[in-house]
Amino acid sequence: MSREGQPFIYLDHAATSWPKPPEVTEAVVQATLHDAANPGRGSHAMAVRASRILFETRKQLAKLFHIKNPNDIAFASNTTMALNMAIKGWLKPGDHVIATAVEHNSVRRPLYYLEQTIGIEVSYIESDLTGKLKVEDVESAIRPHTTLIIMNHSSNLLGTIMPVADVGELARKNGIKLLVDAAQSAGILPIDVEAMGIDMLAFPGHKGLLGPQGTGGLYISPNMEIEPLLHGGTGSQSEALHQPHVRPDRYEAGTQNTPGLAGLQMGVRHVLKETAASIHAKEWALSQRLLEGLSSLNPVQLLGPGIGEERTGIVAFNVAGIDPSELSFILDQHYNIAVRAGFHCTPMAHMAAGTSATGAIRASVGIYTTTAEVEALLHAIKEITEQYGI
Ligand SMILES: Cc1ncc(COP(=O)(O)O)c(C=O)c1O
């Protein structure tokens, strides 16, 4: 069988959502055509329009995450940059950090870098095979010099949803800051930074918020200051040698991605209209169908929480006797189905799940995924296992 003539099925939304709502693409085009002067620099009409785009995008994000002051959001080019801003901007030599055993390399590598360079200490909290962790274990890991707890809201391998609000309460009680990696939850799970005790929220624009690649941001609570990652032009206080203290300028050196952020604004508006809760409910239902269908196939090993349990729309699995990379290649070449195989930038989560030696296949659904597409993946896996005689 060949992929020619078969409909393209995209099940890699955990990496980047696709397609985008039409108004997102349209906003990128319109901003590029009409409003792409330099935001925050110059007072001519086009520069003012560009600044307004950024302001409105910040406002919509603030509404979504229940952030009081939109200026507490700094734009970044992706979650990785936002996490680096938070981690390198907050931690000082001698600090102790608690993180979970299912973090992405975008948390693990900056922490490792700081361990090696300025001397911080990191404790990773163990989880069970499905990525679940106990809040008591986080509590027992607290030391006198713990200044930060980092956790992803949902594991990008296992789909597990983390007890962010409980950890937020614990962090607040102990005077420790909480940084949440919302790469797999922004636009997918309801987020309220105040109610959940989140001090810093790193989020991508290009995944659940349905915006273009090259967009994202970091919320920084008004109750804390971090050092800027970048120093340079902001269009404000040009005569000063130091980075301005006013937000968001302090954390936004250099020209921002006006067309991308115009698109992100439309993505966020789309999420606000549909609501994160209903997007989650739809994606959960699709994940359940995937889990049920895969579990009826003998050689399939499922990762993450079981059928009926809470999770995001990420379903990782392995088929005994077939290498995950080979399986994803067959799905792509013969069935025109896009999934992601390998280690998903999270060797830690693979270690927790016991798949360090093999990696896994990850199928992830999005707002436009249909039941028919999920059925097509299940049909393909069944056919491949039959052809392999397993
Ligand atoms: C949990 C998690 N953190 C961080 C990242 C990095 O995100 P970005 O590609 O936006 O830098 C990802 C990407 O998949 C992720 O899943």
Side-chain angles (χ1 to χ4, degrees):
M1 202 200 304
S2 106
R3 65 141 77 107
E4 301 314 317
Q6 301 204 59
F8 175 52
I9 297 177
Y10 184 79
L11 294 173
D12 197 16
H13 291 267
T16 283
S17 58
W18 184 90
K20 308 298 178 184
E23 63 271 26
V24 170
T25 314
E26 186 57 25
V28 175
V29 172
Q30 289 306 318
T32 308
L33 285 173
H34 306 296
D35 307 317
N38 211 306
R41 280 95 167 143
S43 51
H44 58 81
M46 197 195 247
V48 170
R49 285 205 302 278
S51 297
R52 271 207 198 112
I53 288 175
L54 265 55
F55 176 72
E56 195 53 44
T57 306
R58 245 185 269 278
K59 224 169 90 184
Q60 296 304 318
L61 284 162
K63 196 164 157 191
L64 182 66
F65 298 137
H66 300 263
I67 291 166
K68 281 200 194 99
N69 182 354
N71 288 336
D72 289 329
I73 299 169
F75 292 124
S77 42
N78 46 44
T79 330
T80 303
M81 182 177 168
L83 287 166
N84 271 269
M85 286 162 69
I87 292 170
K88 293 175 181 164
W90 175 249
L91 291 173
K92 303 272 180 305
D95 281 357
H96 173 245
V97 184
I98 299 171
T100 79
V102 293
E103 296 306 324
H104 190 272
N105 275 344
S106 295
V107 166
R108 193 192 189 201
R109 284 181 175 161
L111 287 179
Y112 177 74
Y113 172 77
L114 293 184
E115 279 180 299
Q116 299 299 311
T117 51
I118 67 165
I120 60 159
E121 288 177 80
V122 186
S123 303
Y124 288 103
I125 304 302
E126 293 298 314
S127 69
D128 68 10
L129 275 177
T130 70
K132 289 192 202 107
L133 54 83
K134 294 200 191 89
V135 179
E136 305 90 83
D137 290 346
V138 180
E139 188 163 20
S140 332
I142 294 175
R143 299 190 203 158
H145 55 300
T146 307
T147 62
L148 186 65
I149 299 174
I150 309 178
M151 67 192 314
N152 57 40
H153 195 177
S154 168
S155 159
N156 66 307
L157 173 69
L158 305 167
T160 324
I161 298 175
M162 299 298 171
V164 171
D166 293 341
V167 174
E169 199 183 324
L170 177 74
R172 246 181 214 170
K173 221 170 61 196
N174 288 276
I176 300 168
K177 301 298 180 198
L178 173 64
L179 164 61
V180 173
D181 172 356
Q184 298 301 336
S185 62
I188 296 166
L189 298 174
I191 295 178
D192 181 329
V193 295
E194 292 288 328
M196 295 164 89
I198 299 171
D199 297 292
M200 292 186 282
L201 182 81
F203 60 88
H206 63 102
K207 300 184 197 256
L209 295 180
L210 311 170
Q213 292 179 343
T215 61
L218 178 69
Y219 159 72
I220 309 156
S221 152
N223 303 322
M224 69 187 294
E225 280 298 320
I226 62 172
E227 285 303 312
L229 183 67
L230 298 176
H231 299 82
T234 55
S236 56
Q237 299 177 20
S238 290
E239 68 295 346
L241 264 177
H242 60 78
Q243 200 64 16
H245 285 279
V246 62
R247 295 183 181 192
D249 301 20
R250 183 161 181 74
Y251 304 113
E252 287 182 357
T255 302
Q256 298 301 306
N257 175 3
T258 309
L261 293 169
L264 175 59
Q265 184 190 134
M266 291 303 151
V268 176
R269 285 180 186 277
H270 192 100
V271 170
L272 282 164
K273 201 163 68 198
E274 279 209 27
T275 77
S278 79
I279 290 170
H280 173 50
K282 185 194 158 190
E283 294 188 1
W284 184 82
L286 289 167
S287 75
Q288 297 308 296
R289 178 60 204 128
L290 257 176
L291 290 171
E292 280 159 14
L294 287 169
S295 65
S296 71
L297 302 173
N298 265 339
V300 173
Q301 175 213 357
L302 292 167
L303 309 188
I307 296 170
E309 291 189 87
E310 264 299 1
R311 60 153 65 225
T312 47
I314 289 173
V315 176
F317 59 96
N318 271 316
V319 179
I322 314 181
D323 182 81
S325 309
E326 193 177 335
L327 183 53
S328 98
F329 181 78
I330 298 170
L331 288 169
D332 177 47
Q333 294 292 308
H334 296 275
Y335 294 91
N336 214 5
I337 298 176
V339 293
R340 178 158 171 213
F343 293 92
H344 314 90
C345 300
T346 181
M348 295 183 77
H350 277 283
M351 204 179 295
T355 46
S356 287
T358 54
I361 290 257
R362 179 184 74 183
S364 50
V365 302
I367 56 160
Y368 294 123
T369 305
T370 62
T371 311
E373 289 177 323
V374 165
E375 295 299 339
L377 174 65
L378 293 170
H379 173 77
I381 303 280
K382 186 162 187 293
E383 213 166 75
I384 296 165
T385 55
E386 281 165 7
Q387 271 165 17
Y388 269 67
I390 45 180

